[in-house]
Amino acid sequence: MVASDLDRTLIYSAAALELTMPDARAPRLLCVETYESRPLSFLTEDAARLLTELADRTVFVPATTRTPEQYRRVRLPGPPPRYAVCANGGHLLVDGVSDPAWRERVRERLTACAPLDLVRAHMLRQARPEWLLKERVADGLFAYLVVDRALLPGSWVRELADWAGPQGWSVSLQGRKVYAVPNPLTKSAAVAEVVRRAGTTRTFAAGDSLLDADLLRFADTAWRPAHGELADSGLRLPHLRVLPDRGVLAGEAVLRGMGSALAEPTGTESVTAQPVTTDPVTTDPVTTDPVTTDPVTTDPVTTEPLTTKPSGPEPSGAPAVVPEG
């Protein structure tokens, strides 16, 4: 199985492309999303080919924080995915339809947390009009604020996280968005359900955001680009391959790496990754996984250890990384 985040992992807005090469050497791009009749998201033509080949050989599962409505705007190359994870694990789409059994399971888990209305009201009371641009609720599952990052007080996210923790919620800062997400709502829990249903034996995953951290830990082999909040946090895991690429070329590199990894042997000794905790504002690592001294296979470019680990039981707790992302 391949479970991958979408935005800034596989697909990129014009502002996130990071085309730093001369124009004549820029890659040809394929538009995969339009919004209000305008092109919005892209990947390279080579990435489109690689994704098609990968989806033909694996169970490919988009795993996104987008709502189902936002996800359906994306038209990825290759066969339509049988499964998709939306709303950070709040929805499991099967053939494009949200699975009612999964929604009920999520609803039951969320009863252990403070209600969304309480958390949203607290966020808005603490926000200030000089830096709050808009606020949104995603499918009745979690809330986020769009802020002017330059005017956001440095302690505000930390204070909100301190309040939200006892309520069973996590707070993260990702670019201009401050997310409040209930702890049981994780991409890895939904992907674990797909593993159970599809009967797959290996899981590959990729992501750039701290909301992807639990998914990368769950996977047997994972990738992250050189941009994004996970890169800023310095996340390292024994089975995580850190790419040197940024922008839309990183999406291509992720897919190329996954295709190559399909041919690799699977008999390496398993290890268990430990949670990485980061500071809510700076994302400086507070604790990191120890680097194994056992012989491991390394990526020829990054020399990051590639030791794999078993997927294990279905995750059900909070994302291991709460803070900025």
Side-chain angles (χ1 to χ4, degrees), residues 143-215:
Y144 63 93
L145 308 180
V146 181
V147 303
D148 185 329
R149 185 74 177 262
L151 298 178
L152 181 69
S155 63
W156 194 85
V157 172
R158 188 190 308 274
E159 292 168 358
L160 180 62
D162 290 344
W163 176 87
Q167 313 299 324
W169 287 65
S170 301
V171 173
S172 62
L173 176 61
Q174 301 185 37
R176 297 190 308 148
K177 295 180 179 178
V178 180
Y179 286 91
V181 179
N183 289 342
L185 200 64
T186 63
K187 293 181 180 181
S188 57
V191 168
E193 175 65 10
V194 179
V195 169
R196 186 188 70 80
R197 295 188 187 193
T200 56
T201 57
R202 275 199 298 170
T203 301
F204 295 164
D208 73 292
S209 155
L210 289 179
L211 287 176
D212 299 317
D214 68 290
L215 177 61

Side-chain angles (χ1 to χ4, degrees), residues 81-293:
R82 173 77 193 279
Y83 300 100
V85 174
C86 294
N88 212 63
H91 287 272
L92 175 58
L93 305 190
V94 182
D95 294 327
V97 178
S98 183
D99 184 75
W102 180 254
R103 290 201 311 273
E104 178 60 21
R105 193 183 306 180
V106 169
R107 188 195 66 78
E108 291 174 357
R109 289 175 176 169
L110 295 187
T111 59
C113 308
L116 170 62
D117 288 346
L118 173 69
V119 176
R120 178 191 179 201
H122 181 85
M123 291 177 72
L124 291 176
R125 280 197 305 270
Q126 301 304 314
R128 295 294 176 263
E130 57 266 27
W131 49 260
L132 177 61
L133 303 179
K134 64 179 85 169
E135 66 95 10
R136 293 287 186 270
V137 170
D139 256 21
L141 293 167
F142 61 90
Y144 63 93
L145 308 180
V146 181
V147 303
D148 185 329
R149 185 74 177 262
L151 298 178
L152 181 69
S155 63
W156 194 85
V157 172
R158 188 190 308 274
E159 292 168 358
L160 180 62
D162 290 344
W163 176 87
Q167 313 299 324
W169 287 65
S170 301
V171 173
S172 62
L173 176 61
Q174 301 185 37
R176 297 190 308 148
K177 295 180 179 178
V178 180
Y179 286 91
V181 179
N183 289 342
L185 200 64
T186 63
K187 293 181 180 181
S188 57
V191 168
E193 175 65 10
V194 179
V195 169
R196 186 188 70 80
R197 295 188 187 193
T200 56
T201 57
R202 275 199 298 170
T203 301
F204 295 164
D208 73 292
S209 155
L210 289 179
L211 287 176
D212 299 317
D214 68 290
L215 177 61
L216 301 191
R217 288 189 179 89
F218 172 74
D220 297 298
T221 309
W223 287 258
R224 73 162 172 84
H227 64 252
E229 288 73 29
L230 288 179
D232 293 342
S233 75
L235 178 66
R236 294 290 191 277
L237 299 169
H239 62 287
L240 177 64
R241 306 186 182 192
V242 178
L243 299 168
D245 307 85
R246 299 177 59 90
V248 71
L249 291 180
E252 184 177 315
V254 164
L255 294 166
R256 200 179 305 279
M258 287 179 169
S260 298
L262 283 175
E264 293 178 2
T266 60
T268 54
E269 180 181 358
S270 65
V271 298
T272 301
Q274 299 299 316
V276 174
T277 303
T278 62
D279 182 276
V281 176
T282 66
T283 69
D284 292 332
V286 178
T287 61
T288 57
D289 300 308
V291 178
T292 177
T293 57

Side-chain angles (χ1 to χ4, degrees), residues 45-55 251-253 255-257 259:
E45 287 188 346
D46 283 346
R49 173 182 56 79
L50 292 167
L51 179 55
T52 300
E53 293 173 356
L54 198 67
E252 184 177 315
L255 294 166
R256 200 179 305 279

